[in-house]
Every structure is written in structure tokens, then in C-alpha cells.
Amino acid sequence: MAGSDPAAPAAPAAAAPDTVKILIAGGFGVGKTTMVGSVSEIAPLRTEEPLTAAGLDVDDLDGIPEKGATTVALDFGRITIGSELVLYLFGTPGQQRFWFMWNDLAIGALGAVVLIDVRRPESSFAAVDFFERRGIPFVIGVNGFHGLHPYSPEEIREALALPEQAQVLLCDARERESCRDVLIALIDQLIATR
């Protein structure tokens, strides 16, 4: 280019943002796919398949009779938090027969959101146990189906036998801002413990 000084230093390239892998976990039908989809800034990758008669003996639809599909591998989404941080969200499958994938999905994850459906809190006990045993930091997101939150965070913490410092956050998996706030609480926790 005419008139440019080849000896002049090049402008510094903008640093790439840090990327963080976060798992969205919980039992069958707690809202993991919904959360990833509502907060993702890209069209989420979904591996949902219809529930069929073949799964009637395996799929426990107690409390969720309206559920018509299930995640068979993972959900994937992305959200940018500021100019320096991008979260890659991996939603885990909720059915027990797909839990073998959780170990692979957890590789490289810095933290997790464990979604709880207060209508069926026992469906998320295994997820809490999974992250506690592996020492992966997590927060609890209490998904208020139909906008209802019949229990306080303290009552849920007690029911799940969580330590006092465990964050229990009320949320709505359908609302982007609500999901974003849960993710920010997790990131704040990760920063505070580093």
C-alpha cells in the first residue's frame, strides 16, 4: 500500500474472549432444553426425539404428562457475557438410560446449573450427587413451571440437604433474562472460588 510505513508496528489484534463450558443438568423433563433454547444467542442444537410406545415401561411421565419428546444426546447453545466471556452451554439428557453420557459431557466443564422441578424434586437428586462427587461447582435453578414457585430457596436447600453456601435461585426456563441471571450467578461463584 503506497504511503504506509512497513516498519510501523501493527495494531494489536483484539484478544479472543475466554470461553467457558457450562452444563445444564437435572432430571427428566425439568426444563434443560427449554433453558438452553431460551438463553442461547444462536439457534440451539437439539437432539430431541419423540417419546414412543416403546418407552412406556422406561419413561416415567408422572407429573409431566404433557411431555412429548426427550433429549437423547445433548443440547448445545452459546451466550456472550460481555466482550471477554462466552459461555458454551451443554444440556444433559435427563433420562437414566442416557446418564452414561454425562461423564463425557462433564470433561472440561467449569460449572453447572442443576435445574429442579419442584413438582418432582427427586428427579434432580442424581444430578446434585453427580456434581458433588466430581467437585464441579454448581448452582440450583428452581424452574417455576407456569410461573409458580411454591417453595422458598431455603426450603429447597433443606429438602436437597445442600450446604448453606449453595446457591438456590428461582427461575423460569422460558425467560431469557431469568436464565441469564442464573448463569451470571454461577460465573460469579466460579470467579469467587478461583
Side-chain angles (χ1 to χ4, degrees), residues 13-68:
D18 289 330
T19 57
V20 176
K21 181 178 183 181
I22 300 295
L23 295 185
I24 310 299
F28 177 53
V30 298
K32 300 174 300 292
T33 297
T34 301
M35 180 178 187
V36 171
S38 68
V39 77
S40 181
E41 64 196 17
I42 61 171
L45 167 71
R46 292 188 170 130
T47 60
E48 283 196 310
E49 291 295 328
L51 294 172
T52 65
L56 288 177
D57 295 335
V58 181
D59 301 324
D60 181 6
L61 296 175
D62 285 343
I64 51 171
E66 70 283 356
K67 186 155 179 67

Short mmCIF file of all heavy atoms in Angstrom, two decimals, residues 13-68:
data_model
loop_
_atom_site.label_atom_id
_atom_site.label_comp_id
_atom_site.label_asym_id
_atom_site.label_seq_id
_atom_site.Cartn_x
_atom_site.Cartn_y
_atom_site.Cartn_z
N ALA A 13 -4.04 -6.98 17.80
CA ALA A 13 -5.28 -7.69 17.49
C ALA A 13 -6.12 -7.77 18.76
O ALA A 13 -5.59 -7.87 19.86
CB ALA A 13 -4.98 -9.09 16.97
N ALA A 14 -7.41 -7.68 18.58
CA ALA A 14 -8.30 -7.80 19.73
C ALA A 14 -8.18 -9.21 20.29
O ALA A 14 -8.12 -10.19 19.54
CB ALA A 14 -9.74 -7.52 19.31
N ALA A 15 -8.07 -9.31 21.59
CA ALA A 15 -7.95 -10.61 22.23
C ALA A 15 -9.27 -11.37 22.09
O ALA A 15 -10.34 -10.80 22.19
CB ALA A 15 -7.61 -10.44 23.70
N ALA A 16 -9.14 -12.66 21.85
CA ALA A 16 -10.33 -13.50 21.77
C ALA A 16 -10.93 -13.63 23.16
O ALA A 16 -10.21 -13.66 24.15
CB ALA A 16 -9.95 -14.87 21.23
N PRO A 17 -12.25 -13.69 23.24
CA PRO A 17 -12.88 -13.82 24.57
C PRO A 17 -12.57 -15.19 25.18
O PRO A 17 -12.30 -16.16 24.47
CB PRO A 17 -14.37 -13.68 24.28
CG PRO A 17 -14.53 -14.01 22.84
CD PRO A 17 -13.23 -13.65 22.17
N ASP A 18 -12.58 -15.25 26.51
CA ASP A 18 -12.45 -16.53 27.19
C ASP A 18 -13.73 -17.32 26.94
O ASP A 18 -14.82 -16.75 26.89
CB ASP A 18 -12.28 -16.32 28.70
CG ASP A 18 -10.91 -15.76 29.05
OD1 ASP A 18 -9.93 -16.03 28.31
OD2 ASP A 18 -10.80 -15.05 30.06
N THR A 19 -13.58 -18.62 26.80
CA THR A 19 -14.75 -19.48 26.63
C THR A 19 -14.83 -20.42 27.83
O THR A 19 -13.82 -20.91 28.33
CB THR A 19 -14.67 -20.30 25.33
OG1 THR A 19 -13.48 -21.06 25.32
CG2 THR A 19 -14.71 -19.38 24.12
N VAL A 20 -16.04 -20.65 28.28
CA VAL A 20 -16.28 -21.47 29.46
C VAL A 20 -17.37 -22.48 29.12
O VAL A 20 -18.42 -22.12 28.59
CB VAL A 20 -16.71 -20.60 30.66
CG1 VAL A 20 -17.07 -21.46 31.86
CG2 VAL A 20 -15.61 -19.61 31.03
N LYS A 21 -17.10 -23.73 29.45
CA LYS A 21 -18.08 -24.79 29.24
C LYS A 21 -18.92 -24.95 30.51
O LYS A 21 -18.38 -25.16 31.60
CB LYS A 21 -17.38 -26.11 28.93
CG LYS A 21 -18.31 -27.27 28.67
CD LYS A 21 -17.51 -28.52 28.32
CE LYS A 21 -18.40 -29.70 27.99
NZ LYS A 21 -17.60 -30.90 27.68
N ILE A 22 -20.24 -24.86 30.34
CA ILE A 22 -21.19 -24.98 31.45
C ILE A 22 -22.20 -26.08 31.11
O ILE A 22 -22.71 -26.13 29.99
CB ILE A 22 -21.96 -23.65 31.65
CG1 ILE A 22 -21.00 -22.50 31.97
CG2 ILE A 22 -23.04 -23.80 32.72
CD1 ILE A 22 -20.26 -22.60 33.26
N LEU A 23 -22.47 -26.94 32.07
CA LEU A 23 -23.50 -27.96 31.88
C LEU A 23 -24.83 -27.48 32.46
O LEU A 23 -24.85 -26.83 33.51
CB LEU A 23 -23.11 -29.27 32.56
CG LEU A 23 -21.88 -29.99 32.02
CD1 LEU A 23 -21.70 -31.33 32.73
CD2 LEU A 23 -21.95 -30.20 30.53
N ILE A 24 -25.90 -27.81 31.76
CA ILE A 24 -27.26 -27.58 32.25
C ILE A 24 -27.81 -28.98 32.49
O ILE A 24 -28.01 -29.74 31.54
CB ILE A 24 -28.13 -26.81 31.23
CG1 ILE A 24 -27.42 -25.55 30.72
CG2 ILE A 24 -29.50 -26.51 31.83
CD1 ILE A 24 -27.09 -24.52 31.78
N ALA A 25 -28.00 -29.34 33.76
CA ALA A 25 -28.33 -30.72 34.11
C ALA A 25 -29.58 -30.79 34.96
O ALA A 25 -30.09 -29.77 35.43
CB ALA A 25 -27.14 -31.35 34.84
N GLY A 26 -30.03 -31.98 35.18
CA GLY A 26 -31.21 -32.23 36.01
C GLY A 26 -31.94 -33.44 35.50
O GLY A 26 -31.53 -34.07 34.52
N GLY A 27 -33.02 -33.76 36.15
CA GLY A 27 -33.79 -34.94 35.79
C GLY A 27 -34.59 -34.77 34.51
O GLY A 27 -34.58 -33.73 33.85
N PHE A 28 -35.29 -35.82 34.20
CA PHE A 28 -36.13 -35.90 33.01
C PHE A 28 -37.25 -34.87 33.09
O PHE A 28 -37.99 -34.82 34.08
CB PHE A 28 -36.69 -37.32 32.93
CG PHE A 28 -37.64 -37.59 31.80
CD1 PHE A 28 -37.31 -37.29 30.50
CD2 PHE A 28 -38.86 -38.18 32.06
CE1 PHE A 28 -38.18 -37.58 29.46
CE2 PHE A 28 -39.74 -38.48 31.03
CZ PHE A 28 -39.39 -38.17 29.73
N GLY A 29 -37.35 -34.00 32.09
CA GLY A 29 -38.46 -33.07 31.99
C GLY A 29 -38.40 -31.86 32.90
O GLY A 29 -39.43 -31.25 33.16
N VAL A 30 -37.20 -31.48 33.38
CA VAL A 30 -37.12 -30.33 34.29
C VAL A 30 -36.97 -28.99 33.58
O VAL A 30 -37.05 -27.94 34.21
CB VAL A 30 -35.99 -30.48 35.35
CG1 VAL A 30 -36.24 -31.68 36.23
CG2 VAL A 30 -34.63 -30.54 34.70
N GLY A 31 -36.69 -29.00 32.26
CA GLY A 31 -36.59 -27.74 31.51
C GLY A 31 -35.21 -27.43 30.96
O GLY A 31 -34.94 -26.29 30.58
N LYS A 32 -34.34 -28.41 30.87
CA LYS A 32 -32.97 -28.17 30.39
C LYS A 32 -32.95 -27.70 28.93
O LYS A 32 -32.30 -26.71 28.61
CB LYS A 32 -32.12 -29.45 30.54
CG LYS A 32 -32.01 -29.93 31.97
CD LYS A 32 -31.30 -31.26 32.08
CE LYS A 32 -31.96 -32.39 31.34
NZ LYS A 32 -33.25 -32.81 31.89
N THR A 33 -33.67 -28.38 28.07
CA THR A 33 -33.73 -27.99 26.66
C THR A 33 -34.34 -26.60 26.52
O THR A 33 -33.87 -25.77 25.74
CB THR A 33 -34.55 -29.02 25.86
OG1 THR A 33 -33.88 -30.28 25.93
CG2 THR A 33 -34.71 -28.60 24.41
N THR A 34 -35.37 -26.33 27.30
CA THR A 34 -36.03 -25.02 27.28
C THR A 34 -35.05 -23.93 27.70
O THR A 34 -34.98 -22.86 27.08
CB THR A 34 -37.27 -25.02 28.18
OG1 THR A 34 -38.16 -26.04 27.72
CG2 THR A 34 -37.97 -23.67 28.18
N MET A 35 -34.29 -24.17 28.77
CA MET A 35 -33.34 -23.17 29.26
C MET A 35 -32.27 -22.88 28.22
O MET A 35 -31.99 -21.72 27.92
CB MET A 35 -32.68 -23.61 30.56
CG MET A 35 -31.69 -22.60 31.10
SD MET A 35 -30.99 -23.13 32.67
CE MET A 35 -30.06 -21.66 33.12
N VAL A 36 -31.67 -23.91 27.65
CA VAL A 36 -30.62 -23.69 26.64
C VAL A 36 -31.21 -22.91 25.47
O VAL A 36 -30.60 -21.95 24.98
CB VAL A 36 -30.01 -25.03 26.18
CG1 VAL A 36 -29.10 -24.82 24.97
CG2 VAL A 36 -29.24 -25.70 27.32
N GLY A 37 -32.39 -23.27 25.04
CA GLY A 37 -33.01 -22.59 23.90
C GLY A 37 -33.38 -21.15 24.18
O GLY A 37 -33.26 -20.30 23.30
N SER A 38 -33.84 -20.87 25.40
CA SER A 38 -34.29 -19.51 25.68
C SER A 38 -33.14 -18.53 25.88
O SER A 38 -33.28 -17.35 25.61
CB SER A 38 -35.21 -19.49 26.90
OG SER A 38 -34.51 -19.79 28.08
N VAL A 39 -31.99 -19.01 26.32
CA VAL A 39 -30.88 -18.10 26.61
C VAL A 39 -29.84 -18.05 25.50
O VAL A 39 -29.06 -17.11 25.41
CB VAL A 39 -30.23 -18.46 27.98
CG1 VAL A 39 -29.35 -19.69 27.86
CG2 VAL A 39 -29.47 -17.31 28.56
N SER A 40 -29.83 -19.03 24.62
CA SER A 40 -28.80 -19.10 23.57
C SER A 40 -28.96 -17.99 22.54
O SER A 40 -30.07 -17.72 22.09
CB SER A 40 -28.85 -20.46 22.87
OG SER A 40 -27.83 -20.52 21.88
N GLU A 41 -27.84 -17.39 22.17
CA GLU A 41 -27.85 -16.34 21.14
C GLU A 41 -27.76 -16.93 19.74
O GLU A 41 -27.88 -16.20 18.76
CB GLU A 41 -26.70 -15.36 21.38
CG GLU A 41 -25.34 -15.99 21.25
CD GLU A 41 -24.23 -15.14 21.86
OE1 GLU A 41 -24.51 -14.23 22.65
OE2 GLU A 41 -23.07 -15.41 21.53
N ILE A 42 -27.53 -18.23 19.65
CA ILE A 42 -27.54 -18.93 18.36
C ILE A 42 -28.71 -19.91 18.38
O ILE A 42 -29.24 -20.23 19.44
CB ILE A 42 -26.21 -19.68 18.10
CG1 ILE A 42 -25.98 -20.76 19.18
CG2 ILE A 42 -25.03 -18.72 18.02
CD1 ILE A 42 -24.83 -21.70 18.90
N ALA A 43 -29.08 -20.37 17.21
CA ALA A 43 -30.10 -21.42 17.17
C ALA A 43 -29.51 -22.64 17.86
O ALA A 43 -28.45 -23.13 17.47
CB ALA A 43 -30.47 -21.74 15.72
N PRO A 44 -30.14 -23.13 18.92
CA PRO A 44 -29.54 -24.23 19.67
C PRO A 44 -29.56 -25.53 18.89
O PRO A 44 -30.47 -25.78 18.10
CB PRO A 44 -30.40 -24.33 20.93
CG PRO A 44 -31.71 -23.74 20.53
CD PRO A 44 -31.41 -22.69 19.50
N LEU A 45 -28.53 -26.33 19.15
CA LEU A 45 -28.51 -27.70 18.64
C LEU A 45 -29.33 -28.52 19.61
O LEU A 45 -29.10 -28.45 20.82
CB LEU A 45 -27.07 -28.23 18.59
CG LEU A 45 -26.94 -29.73 18.37
CD1 LEU A 45 -27.33 -30.09 16.95
CD2 LEU A 45 -25.54 -30.19 18.70
N ARG A 46 -30.27 -29.27 19.09
CA ARG A 46 -31.11 -30.12 19.93
C ARG A 46 -31.09 -31.53 19.39
O ARG A 46 -31.09 -31.74 18.18
CB ARG A 46 -32.55 -29.60 19.94
CG ARG A 46 -32.69 -28.28 20.64
CD ARG A 46 -34.15 -27.91 20.80
NE ARG A 46 -34.26 -26.75 21.67
CZ ARG A 46 -34.96 -25.68 21.37
NH1 ARG A 46 -35.63 -25.63 20.24
NH2 ARG A 46 -35.01 -24.68 22.21
N THR A 47 -31.12 -32.49 20.28
CA THR A 47 -31.19 -33.89 19.88
C THR A 47 -32.44 -34.52 20.48
O THR A 47 -32.38 -35.58 21.08
CB THR A 47 -29.92 -34.66 20.30
OG1 THR A 47 -29.80 -34.60 21.73
CG2 THR A 47 -28.68 -34.10 19.64
N GLU A 48 -33.56 -33.85 20.31
CA GLU A 48 -34.82 -34.36 20.85
C GLU A 48 -35.45 -35.34 19.88
O GLU A 48 -35.42 -35.15 18.67
CB GLU A 48 -35.79 -33.21 21.11
CG GLU A 48 -35.49 -32.43 22.35
CD GLU A 48 -36.67 -31.59 22.77
OE1 GLU A 48 -37.20 -30.86 21.93
OE2 GLU A 48 -37.04 -31.68 23.94
N GLU A 49 -36.03 -36.35 20.47
CA GLU A 49 -36.79 -37.35 19.72
C GLU A 49 -38.13 -37.54 20.40
O GLU A 49 -38.24 -37.40 21.62
CB GLU A 49 -36.02 -38.68 19.66
CG GLU A 49 -34.76 -38.63 18.82
CD GLU A 49 -35.03 -38.37 17.34
OE1 GLU A 49 -36.09 -38.81 16.83
OE2 GLU A 49 -34.18 -37.74 16.69
N PRO A 50 -39.16 -37.88 19.62
CA PRO A 50 -40.48 -38.09 20.21
C PRO A 50 -40.49 -39.29 21.17
O PRO A 50 -39.79 -40.28 20.94
CB PRO A 50 -41.38 -38.38 19.01
CG PRO A 50 -40.60 -38.04 17.80
CD PRO A 50 -39.15 -38.04 18.18
N LEU A 51 -41.26 -39.16 22.24
CA LEU A 51 -41.49 -40.31 23.10
C LEU A 51 -42.43 -41.25 22.37
O LEU A 51 -43.38 -40.81 21.71
CB LEU A 51 -42.12 -39.85 24.42
CG LEU A 51 -41.23 -38.99 25.31
CD1 LEU A 51 -42.02 -38.43 26.48
CD2 LEU A 51 -40.04 -39.77 25.80
N THR A 52 -42.17 -42.53 22.48
CA THR A 52 -42.97 -43.52 21.74
C THR A 52 -43.48 -44.59 22.69
O THR A 52 -43.08 -44.68 23.85
CB THR A 52 -42.12 -44.19 20.64
OG1 THR A 52 -41.08 -44.94 21.27
CG2 THR A 52 -41.53 -43.17 19.68
N ALA A 53 -44.34 -45.43 22.17
CA ALA A 53 -44.90 -46.54 22.95
C ALA A 53 -43.79 -47.48 23.42
O ALA A 53 -43.91 -48.10 24.48
CB ALA A 53 -45.92 -47.30 22.11
N ALA A 54 -42.69 -47.57 22.68
CA ALA A 54 -41.59 -48.45 23.08
C ALA A 54 -40.97 -48.04 24.40
O ALA A 54 -40.39 -48.86 25.11
CB ALA A 54 -40.52 -48.47 21.99
N GLY A 55 -41.10 -46.77 24.77
CA GLY A 55 -40.51 -46.30 26.01
C GLY A 55 -41.47 -46.23 27.18
O GLY A 55 -41.09 -45.75 28.25
N LEU A 56 -42.69 -46.72 27.02
CA LEU A 56 -43.69 -46.60 28.09
C LEU A 56 -43.22 -47.23 29.40
O LEU A 56 -43.53 -46.73 30.47
CB LEU A 56 -45.02 -47.22 27.65
CG LEU A 56 -45.81 -46.42 26.61
CD1 LEU A 56 -47.07 -47.16 26.21
CD2 LEU A 56 -46.15 -45.04 27.15
N ASP A 57 -42.50 -48.34 29.33
CA ASP A 57 -42.04 -49.00 30.54
C ASP A 57 -40.80 -48.33 31.13
O ASP A 57 -40.43 -48.63 32.26
CB ASP A 57 -41.71 -50.47 30.26
CG ASP A 57 -42.95 -51.27 29.87
OD1 ASP A 57 -44.06 -50.87 30.27
OD2 ASP A 57 -42.80 -52.29 29.17
N VAL A 58 -40.16 -47.44 30.37
CA VAL A 58 -38.91 -46.82 30.80
C VAL A 58 -39.11 -45.36 31.18
O VAL A 58 -38.51 -44.88 32.15
CB VAL A 58 -37.85 -46.92 29.67
CG1 VAL A 58 -36.54 -46.30 30.09
CG2 VAL A 58 -37.66 -48.36 29.25
N ASP A 59 -39.92 -44.63 30.43
CA ASP A 59 -40.11 -43.20 30.64
C ASP A 59 -41.17 -42.95 31.71
O ASP A 59 -42.34 -43.31 31.54
CB ASP A 59 -40.55 -42.52 29.34
CG ASP A 59 -39.53 -42.72 28.23
OD1 ASP A 59 -38.33 -42.74 28.53
OD2 ASP A 59 -39.96 -42.86 27.07
N ASP A 60 -40.76 -42.34 32.81
CA ASP A 60 -41.67 -42.03 33.91
C ASP A 60 -42.27 -40.64 33.67
O ASP A 60 -41.61 -39.63 33.87
CB ASP A 60 -40.93 -42.08 35.23
CG ASP A 60 -41.82 -41.80 36.42
OD1 ASP A 60 -43.06 -41.68 36.24
OD2 ASP A 60 -41.29 -41.68 37.54
N LEU A 61 -43.50 -40.60 33.24
CA LEU A 61 -44.17 -39.33 32.94
C LEU A 61 -45.03 -38.82 34.08
O LEU A 61 -45.81 -37.88 33.89
CB LEU A 61 -45.01 -39.47 31.66
CG LEU A 61 -44.22 -39.77 30.39
CD1 LEU A 61 -45.17 -40.02 29.22
CD2 LEU A 61 -43.27 -38.65 30.07
N ASP A 62 -44.86 -39.40 35.28
CA ASP A 62 -45.61 -38.90 36.43
C ASP A 62 -45.26 -37.43 36.66
O ASP A 62 -44.11 -37.06 36.78
CB ASP A 62 -45.28 -39.71 37.70
CG ASP A 62 -45.93 -41.08 37.70
OD1 ASP A 62 -46.87 -41.29 36.92
OD2 ASP A 62 -45.49 -41.93 38.50
N GLY A 63 -46.28 -36.60 36.72
CA GLY A 63 -46.09 -35.17 36.93
C GLY A 63 -45.82 -34.37 35.67
O GLY A 63 -45.81 -33.15 35.71
N ILE A 64 -45.54 -35.04 34.55
CA ILE A 64 -45.27 -34.35 33.29
C ILE A 64 -45.98 -35.05 32.12
O ILE A 64 -45.36 -35.38 31.11
CB ILE A 64 -43.74 -34.25 33.02
CG1 ILE A 64 -43.06 -35.61 33.15
CG2 ILE A 64 -43.09 -33.21 33.90
CD1 ILE A 64 -41.61 -35.64 32.69
N PRO A 65 -47.28 -35.24 32.22
CA PRO A 65 -48.00 -35.99 31.18
C PRO A 65 -47.98 -35.31 29.82
O PRO A 65 -48.16 -35.96 28.80
CB PRO A 65 -49.42 -36.09 31.72
CG PRO A 65 -49.55 -34.93 32.65
CD PRO A 65 -48.19 -34.74 33.25
N GLU A 66 -47.73 -33.99 29.79
CA GLU A 66 -47.72 -33.26 28.52
C GLU A 66 -46.42 -33.41 27.74
O GLU A 66 -46.31 -32.99 26.59
CB GLU A 66 -47.99 -31.77 28.77
CG GLU A 66 -46.87 -31.00 29.46
CD GLU A 66 -46.74 -31.20 30.98
OE1 GLU A 66 -47.57 -31.89 31.59
OE2 GLU A 66 -45.79 -30.66 31.56
N LYS A 67 -45.41 -34.04 28.33
CA LYS A 67 -44.10 -34.16 27.67
C LYS A 67 -44.21 -35.11 26.49
O LYS A 67 -44.68 -36.23 26.61
CB LYS A 67 -43.04 -34.66 28.65
CG LYS A 67 -41.65 -34.65 28.06
CD LYS A 67 -40.61 -34.53 29.14
CE LYS A 67 -39.20 -34.54 28.60
NZ LYS A 67 -38.86 -33.39 27.80
N GLY A 68 -43.77 -34.67 25.31
CA GLY A 68 -43.89 -35.48 24.11
C GLY A 68 -42.57 -35.83 23.45
O GLY A 68 -42.54 -36.60 22.51
#
